[in-house]
């Protein structure tokens, strides 16, 4: 059993995975997220600082939700965050579409290179070569 203290309130809880916060604090944070999401939807021109003040949430937490793609501001919103790849300003996530495409292409290239190549592509002839052979003994 993996027991830890909650990072937010200090309570002891049985840690399974994810952030080291107790179930009560996670539930409270989810309620805050829903409140922030509703505020952003109703006030499309609001910036991160305004949302943080109105909903009593740390601006860093709001940025984290934006990076996790849980929260996205409208297209006309002044809120933008920099792409971690090229620095272009984006509304949600960690990477712009261009950088996402490049990462996907890079991964596909690595996966394609790591696949084992078959020496003999004809399954019938390969099957015949893989048979067990017995030697006749001299008695």
């Amino acid at each position: 059993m993996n027991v830890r203290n909650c990072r937010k309130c200090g309570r002891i809880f049985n840690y399974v995975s994810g952030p080291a916060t107790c179930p009560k604090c996670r539930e409270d944070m989810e309620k805050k997220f829903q409140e922030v999401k509703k505020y952003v939807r109703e006030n499309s021109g609001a910036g991160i600082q305004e949302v943080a003040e109105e909903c009593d949430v740390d601006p860093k937490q709001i940025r984290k939700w934006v990076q996790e793609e849980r929260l996205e501001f409208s297209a006309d919103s002044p809120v933008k965050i920099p792409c971690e790849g090229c620095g272009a300003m984006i509304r949600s996530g960690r990477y712009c579409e261009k950088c996402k495409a490049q990462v996907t292409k890079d991964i596909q290239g690595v996966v394609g290179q790591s696949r084992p190549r078959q020496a003999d592509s004809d399954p019938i002839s390969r099957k015949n070569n893989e048979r067990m052979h017995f030697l006749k003994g001299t008695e």
Side-chain angles (χ1 to χ4, degrees):
M1 189 157 117
N2 192 356
V3 178
R4 293 192 184 179
N5 288 61
C6 177
R7 230 187 289 169
K8 296 204 182 274
C9 68
R11 280 188 219 120
I12 294 175
F13 72 102
N14 185 20
Y15 176 77
V16 179
S17 68
T21 53
C22 69
K24 172 78 170 95
C25 287
R26 275 195 299 262
E27 183 180 317
D28 292 346
M29 188 58 71
E30 185 59 29
K31 286 179 185 174
K32 273 295 181 192
F33 171 73
Q34 294 303 326
E35 181 183 333
V36 167
K37 186 176 173 182
K38 181 179 178 188
Y39 187 85
V40 168
R41 193 177 305 133
E42 292 172 356
N43 302 281
S44 63
I48 290 179
Q49 194 60 41
E50 178 186 337
V51 174
E53 290 171 5
E54 291 296 320
C55 298
D56 191 32
V57 177
D58 186 358
K60 289 179 184 177
Q61 181 63 55
I62 295 173
R63 283 187 195 91
K64 183 177 176 186
W65 286 330
V66 171
Q67 286 180 332
E68 292 172 348
E69 296 184 357
R70 290 189 71 197
L71 186 63
E72 184 174 334
F73 287 83
S74 65
D76 63 340
S77 172
V79 175
K80 304 274 190 275
I81 59 172
C83 167
E84 291 181 17
C86 66
M89 299 309 284
I90 55 176
R91 295 183 324 170
S92 181
R94 295 176 58 196
Y95 299 100
C96 67
E97 293 303 317
K98 180 182 167 189
C99 289
K100 283 181 188 177
Q102 183 62 45
V103 168
T104 301
K105 182 180 173 185
D106 293 346
I107 290 172
Q108 288 174 342
V110 169
V111 170
Q113 290 174 356
S114 66
R115 288 188 180 153
R117 295 187 178 181
Q118 303 254 342
D120 189 3
S121 61
D122 183 14
I124 295 173
S125 64
R126 186 175 53 238
K127 222 178 204 181
N128 289 337
N129 291 337
E130 292 175 0
R131 290 185 179 169
M132 188 179 287
H133 299 278
F134 296 95
L135 297 174
K136 293 182 182 178
T138 54
E139 292 183 30

